[in-house]
Amino acid sequence: MNKYIKYGLALIVISIIGIAIYFYVIKSDNHSEMGHQNEVYTCSMHPEIIRDKPGNCPICGMNLVKKVTENNPVDDNSIDNLIKPTDNFIVGNYQTTTAIDTTLSSEINLPGIVGYDPNSSVNIAARMSGRIERMYVNYKYQKVNKGQKLFDLYSPELLTEQQNFIYMVINDVENPSIIDASRQKLLLYGMTQNQINALSNSKKVNPLITIYSPASGIIEGTATMDNTTNPVMQSASNNTEVLNVKEGSYIKKGEVIFKLLNTDKVWGIFNVIQGYNSLIKANQSIRITSELDKDEFMDAKINFVETQLNPADKTNRIRVYLNNNKFKLPIGLRLQGVVKTNSVNGIWIQKQSMVSIGNKKIVFLKMDNGFKASTIKTGIEIDDFIQIIEGISVKDTIAKNAQYLIDSESFIKTE
């Protein structure tokens, strides 16, 4: 009996020792696993990269930095903020500011250029069909004066009318009304009064009739040239562009041979960038300076505001009609216009508090332990302020220098 008791007690002791060893091993494994889970490896340049073991960053190749929490449970909120992209949430303490609700007014600087006024141009059209025998103007943008020779024309139609006129002058002197009607017809065909008087005195037809300029101006071109070309933006190299109408060219009745652009009346054409359209109105005052003399001012009124957006530079244009008899501004001269804007009420922030990333504009809102990126919608710019349409209010606190937060690396917490 004693033998069985002895073996039973030994078995109990062995069982107790085995159970103790088992729970000790399990606890050690759990402790090791917990410690292992508390080890986090990340990249100091790209904190969004999180690994549970050492290695290299897949983006830049740098060694991952160990982040140990000393066997304490990981603070999920802290880690979440830490591993977010640096343009989304930034841990740190930086200077802050707030938006202001106020009324601002300022001056808008508008770049411009001197252009021709198409409304004051003169078309020189063929009044009869014929062939050009001699040209007296040969280049685009050549200046001509009123009464200057343009070209000599041979026209069978005009030759016939001359013969009819001479016949009536010689054989029908007693019918002055018929002679005057024939004279008027020659005037409508483009002959001058002096040419008709010479024809009446000589009684001899002239196969070539010289066509004179009816006004002073600049030769823009011919009807066969590209009409889509904007004469306002022509460069100096185009001043020697040869005209398409040459000696020997045949012209048809009603065809526009030349267009004379008047330089006494010109346009000041200014570009208004998007967002400022609502601030520019017709009849608004504008002060203009030119690159010839920036100290000489021209005070004028805005005559027309174009509603169509220019697809090339995403601007609207305004026109100012200028009397060039006084200023003598050359076409293509660069201008600078200054328009005083009306007061605009709204919510404003300083420019440095916002940063543009592609097609988005963001500010950094102050949170408990850092700054969170927030998208905003902006309006116009006045001086150093930007209008806020939506995204933040005057109650929000934002980082004073948004660009610094994006460029700086000092806020990246690696340990």
Side-chain angles (χ1 to χ4, degrees):
M1 183 68 179
N2 293 334
K3 181 180 181 179
Y4 290 109
I5 294 174
K6 182 178 179 180
Y7 287 138
L9 291 174
L11 181 61
I12 292 172
V13 171
I14 292 172
S15 299
I16 293 173
I17 294 173
I19 293 172
I21 293 173
Y22 173 77
F23 282 105
Y24 176 79
V25 171
I26 294 298
K27 184 177 180 181
S28 299
D29 291 342
N30 290 338
H31 181 76
S32 299
E33 183 178 357
M34 182 178 297
H36 180 70
Q37 289 177 350
N38 288 338
E39 294 180 358
V40 179
Y41 295 86
T42 184
C43 177
S44 59
M45 294 298 295
H46 303 91
E48 67 270 19
I49 302 300
I50 300 296
R51 296 291 186 270
D52 57 357
K53 58 183 179 180
N56 296 329
C57 176
I59 299 177
C60 63
M62 293 180 60
N63 292 331
L64 298 181
V65 179
K66 183 178 180 181
K67 303 172 63 62
V68 182
T69 59
E70 297 180 355
N71 296 330
N72 293 326
V74 178
D75 186 352
D76 292 337
N77 293 330
S78 176
I79 290 296
D80 287 343
N81 290 336
L82 181 63
I83 67 178
K84 287 181 179 179
T86 56
D87 60 352
N88 189 351
F89 192 91
I90 299 171
V91 179
N93 187 19
Y94 302 92
Q95 290 185 334
T96 60
T97 184
T98 58
I100 57 175
D101 187 353
T102 186
T103 300
L104 297 179
S105 62
S106 182
E107 295 180 343
I108 302 177
N109 293 316
L110 305 177
I113 194 172
V114 178
Y116 295 107
D117 181 2
N119 298 325
S120 61
S121 62
V122 176
N123 287 334
I124 301 177
R127 301 187 181 186
M128 77 293 291
S129 300
R131 183 179 70 245
I132 296 178
E133 298 295 331
R134 183 175 180 183
M135 291 284 295
Y136 296 98
V137 291
N138 299 289
Y139 300 102
K140 197 173 182 181
Y141 300 112
Q142 185 174 341
K143 186 175 181 180
V144 297
N145 297 318
K146 184 177 181 180
Q148 181 177 334
K149 291 181 179 181
L150 297 179
F151 55 88
D152 291 340
L153 180 68
Y154 168 76
S155 172
E157 184 180 0
L158 183 56
L159 187 62
T160 301
E161 292 300 329
Q162 290 183 68
Q163 292 171 345
N164 292 338
F165 175 74
I166 292 174
Y167 178 82
M168 285 182 285
V169 168
I170 295 175
N171 300 312
D172 206 356
V173 181
E174 297 178 355
N175 293 320
S177 60
I178 297 178
I179 296 175
D180 289 342
S182 180
R183 182 188 299 270
Q184 185 65 28
K185 194 171 185 180
L186 291 175
L187 287 172
L188 294 176
Y189 273 172
M191 293 185 65
T192 65
Q193 190 64 53
N194 291 335
Q195 288 174 330
I196 297 174
N197 292 337
L199 179 63
S200 177
N201 295 331
S202 65
K203 309 294 190 298
K204 184 178 179 180
V205 298
N206 187 353
L208 297 180
I209 296 300
T210 301
I211 304 301
Y212 297 90
S213 175
S216 298
I218 303 295
I219 297 289
E220 180 195 357
T222 65
T224 56
M225 286 189 172
D226 185 6
N227 292 329
T228 62
T229 302
N230 187 357
V232 175
M233 305 300 176
Q234 292 295 326
S235 62
S237 61
N238 287 335
N239 291 342
T240 58
E241 184 178 341
V242 178
L243 300 176
N244 285 5
V245 175
K246 302 179 177 64
E247 294 179 357
S249 298
Y250 284 86
I251 59 177
K252 296 180 181 180
K253 188 175 184 178
E255 179 184 352
V256 177
I257 309 304
F258 301 114
K259 177 182 284 188
L260 289 180
L261 300 172
N262 190 354
T263 56
D264 293 334
K265 296 179 180 180
V266 296
W267 284 354
I269 304 176
F270 298 88
N271 293 331
V272 182
I273 62 176
Q274 283 182 298
Y276 290 89
N277 305 29
S278 60
L279 303 179
I280 305 297
K281 306 293 182 183
N283 297 321
Q284 200 168 355
S285 298
I286 180 172
R287 173 163 285 191
I288 303 172
T289 58
S290 71
E291 59 181 334
L292 295 179
D293 188 356
K294 296 184 179 180
D295 296 328
E296 183 179 0
F297 295 93
M298 296 173 282
D299 292 319
K301 297 285 186 180
I302 298 175
N303 298 99
F304 186 78
V305 179
E306 295 183 5
T307 57
Q308 183 178 0
L309 182 69
N310 182 20
D313 50 12
K314 304 301 181 182
T315 62
N316 285 82
R317 291 195 177 105
I318 63 172
R319 305 178 200 163
V320 179
Y321 301 154
L322 302 174
N323 187 346
N324 209 24
N325 283 328
K326 174 182 178 182
F327 301 117
K328 301 297 181 183
L329 302 174
I331 302 300
L333 181 71
R334 285 178 296 189
L335 303 175
Q336 187 71 28
V338 178
V339 178
K340 291 186 177 181
T341 64
N342 297 325
S343 299
V344 179
N345 185 27
I347 299 177
W348 309 85
I349 62 171
Q350 291 184 323
K351 290 182 181 180
Q352 64 178 358
S353 301
M354 181 208 73
V355 64
S356 179
I357 51 173
N359 58 352
K360 292 183 179 180
K361 294 179 174 62
I362 64 171
V363 295
F364 289 93
L365 288 174
K366 182 72 172 70
M367 308 297 286
D368 293 336
N369 61 339
F371 294 84
K372 178 178 175 57
S374 178
T375 304
I376 59 173
K377 183 178 180 181
T378 61
I380 63 174
E381 296 182 10
I382 294 182
D383 294 336
D384 192 41
F385 291 90
I386 299 177
Q387 185 184 26
I388 301 298
I389 304 300
E390 61 181 39
I392 61 172
S393 66
V394 293
K395 298 179 181 180
D396 295 319
T397 302
I398 61 176
K400 188 174 183 180
N401 193 332
Q403 190 66 52
Y404 174 76
L405 266 66
I406 282 189
D407 288 344
S408 174
E409 298 177 6
S410 61
F411 62 82
I412 300 178
K413 186 177 179 181
T414 60
E415 294 183 359

